[in-house]
């Protein structure tokens, strides 16, 4: 029985980094969509199209959609006040649309993950970590390189917009380091997107060479006397910087490491799709002024009979 269990195909658990696709729609969709109260809904319309395409294409049984609510209250801000300090606060028009996107997922019967102290990456990592022993493999839908650190043997990451997929063995070809080295790599060379400085004078290529030699940041710091003798331009200066900035490097790694212990909803077991809420879905279609085509697709994806759309709605 153990052999059979070990070789049985793993069920896919789809874990969607929703914020990436909401932001993408916010920047790419024309500003011509309005809800019943006149607020913009371009991000909701774009996210709905992405979500419908995913549901129609994959027909997932186990799925969770993770949202970023910890925009300025994440535990990482307590560790380093400058974390993501280079980002402008999301405007009210966008925050409102995030709430609509969450409601849309809930109405469709999809698992929704959001927490005021943990980011979407942490919620995805925790969900995947918690379900591996139950025979699941992760399908992480995001282009974010940070999430590649979560990949194990059976998992894959999917850049949906580019239709590119890769597993644990494909991370090195994309980023120059192995999946388990991503957090150390970002701690060394920094991550401008999240305002993480990294170690002065160490760029992406140097970080990859250092990790190829030492395997990990911890091993590098333990054997720092070896660094000046590496065939790497500026190695002696890097050794000095690493000594000077040892505590900073360890701090940066705290920021770049995805948490695996974030709180999950009590009803999150296996994230099985549940019965859609027809009334809630119909109300959202009305409030967001979805057109008849989008409405039909939403109800079909939810396994519900389509309600007749009002005549004034656009496609």
């Amino acid at each position: 029985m153990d052999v059979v269990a070990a070789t049985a195909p793993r069920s896919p658990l789809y874990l969607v980094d929703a914020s990436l696709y909401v932001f993408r729609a916010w920047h790419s969709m024309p500003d011509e969509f309005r809800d019943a109260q006149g607020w913009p809904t371009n991000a909701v319309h774009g996210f709905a199209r992405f979500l419908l395409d995913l549901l129609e294409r994959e027909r997932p049984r186990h799925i969770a959609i993770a949202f970023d609510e910890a925009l300025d209250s994440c535990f990482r801000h307590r560790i380093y006040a400058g974390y993501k300090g280079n980002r402008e606060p999301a405007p009210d028009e966008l925050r409102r649309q995030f709430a609509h996107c969450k409601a849309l997922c809930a109405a469709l019967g999809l698992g929704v993950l959001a927490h005021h102290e943990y980011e979407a990456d942490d919620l995805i990592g925790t969900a995947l970590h918690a379900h591996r022993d139950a025979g699941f493999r992760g399908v992480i839908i995001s282009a974010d390189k940070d999430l590649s650190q979560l990949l194990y043997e059976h998992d894959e990451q999917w850049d949906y917009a580019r239709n590119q997929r890769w597993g644990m063995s494909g991370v090195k070809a994309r980023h120059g380091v192995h999946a388990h080295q991503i957090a150390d790599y970002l701690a060394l060379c920094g991550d401008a997107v999240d305002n993480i400085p990294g170690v002065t004078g160490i760029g992406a290529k140097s970080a990859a060479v250092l990790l190829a030699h030492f395997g990990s940041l911890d091993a590098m710091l333990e054997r720092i006397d070896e660094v000046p003798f590496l065939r790497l331009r500026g190695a002696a200066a890097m050794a000095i910087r690493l000594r000077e900035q040892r505590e900073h490097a360890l701090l940066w790694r705290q920021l770049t490491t995805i948490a695996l212990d974030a709180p999950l909803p009590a009803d999150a077991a296996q994230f099985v799709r549940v019965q859609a809420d027809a009334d809630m879905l119909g109300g959202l279609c009305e409030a967001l002024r979805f057109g008849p085509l989008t409405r039909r697709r939403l109800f079909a994806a939810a396994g519900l009979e389509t309600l007749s759309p009002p005549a004034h709605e656009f496609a």
Side-chain angles (χ1 to χ4, degrees):
M1 291 294 293
D2 290 342
V3 174
V4 173
T7 58
R10 288 176 169 260
S11 299
L13 171 58
Y14 292 83
L15 297 161
V16 181
D17 180 11
S19 298
L20 173 68
Y21 298 98
V22 176
F23 276 114
R24 182 171 289 168
W26 168 257
H27 290 294
S28 64
M29 291 289 289
D31 186 20
E32 62 184 33
F33 302 98
R34 291 287 187 275
D35 65 17
Q37 296 179 326
W39 287 81
T41 56
N42 58 326
V44 188
H45 279 259
F47 178 75
R49 292 181 186 183
F50 151 74
L51 189 60
L52 281 168
D53 191 58
L54 173 65
L55 296 177
E56 292 166 354
R57 180 174 178 176
E58 298 294 303
R59 299 186 181 277
R61 173 167 169 73
H62 305 272
I63 183 170
I65 318 294
F67 289 86
D68 274 322
E69 283 194 345
L71 297 176
D72 51 13
S73 59
C74 175
F75 73 92
R76 292 180 178 85
H77 288 95
R78 295 194 296 272
I79 297 172
Y80 175 55
Y83 181 66
K84 292 190 175 179
N86 54 343
R87 299 192 186 187
E88 293 291 329
D92 290 341
E93 295 86 350
L94 180 56
R95 287 178 180 268
R96 183 183 175 92
Q97 294 194 68
F98 264 103
H100 289 320
C101 290
K102 285 174 59 181
L104 183 63
C105 292
L108 288 168
L110 310 178
V112 174
L113 299 176
H115 195 277
H116 65 282
E117 291 188 358
Y118 291 88
E119 297 179 78
D121 289 4
D122 303 313
L123 298 168
I124 288 172
T126 301
L128 179 54
H129 181 69
H131 287 81
R132 277 205 180 97
D133 289 345
F136 287 93
R137 65 180 181 89
V139 181
I140 301 172
I141 301 176
S142 175
D144 191 343
K145 63 180 176 295
D146 298 29
L147 286 162
S148 287
Q149 68 186 268
L150 299 173
L151 300 178
Y152 282 14
E153 180 182 0
H154 301 286
D155 306 320
E156 67 175 335
Q157 189 169 345
W158 186 3
D159 180 347
Y160 197 84
R162 296 182 176 88
N163 196 27
Q164 296 177 352
R165 301 189 190 216
W166 60 93
M168 182 180 71
S169 61
V171 174
K172 193 172 191 300
R174 298 183 66 86
H175 304 301
V177 296
H178 296 292
H180 69 274
Q181 297 174 318
I182 288 287
D184 288 357
Y185 168 76
L186 293 173
L188 285 168
C189 66
D191 186 352
V193 174
D194 290 339
N195 201 39
I196 298 173
V199 177
T200 306
I202 297 182
K205 290 184 179 179
S206 299
V209 171
L210 289 167
L211 289 172
H213 180 82
F214 292 103
S216 70
L217 175 61
D218 292 325
M220 185 188 315
L221 295 176
E222 288 175 6
R223 297 157 50 194
I224 201 165
D225 290 342
E226 297 177 27
V227 174
F229 300 99
L230 297 179
R231 304 184 90 179
L232 181 63
R233 185 176 181 180
M238 288 180 197
I240 294 172
R241 298 299 188 195
L242 283 165
R243 285 193 181 93
E244 293 174 342
Q245 300 177 33
R246 174 191 178 92
E247 296 307 315
H248 280 145
L250 295 174
L251 174 63
W252 306 148
R253 188 175 60 183
Q254 283 186 269
L255 301 178
T256 60
T257 299
I258 293 176
L260 303 179
D261 59 352
L264 295 178
D267 59 353
Q270 299 188 351
F271 296 105
V272 179
R273 290 181 67 179
V274 299
Q275 179 66 41
D277 187 326
D279 291 337
M280 184 178 179
L281 187 58
L284 284 168
C285 286
E286 289 286 334
L288 298 172
R289 299 178 60 83
F290 281 134
L293 176 58
T294 300
R295 185 179 299 226
R296 281 194 296 271
R297 291 179 68 193
L298 283 168
F299 274 79
L304 300 169
E305 184 177 349
T306 309
L307 298 178
S308 299
H312 70 264
E313 290 195 352
F314 45 83

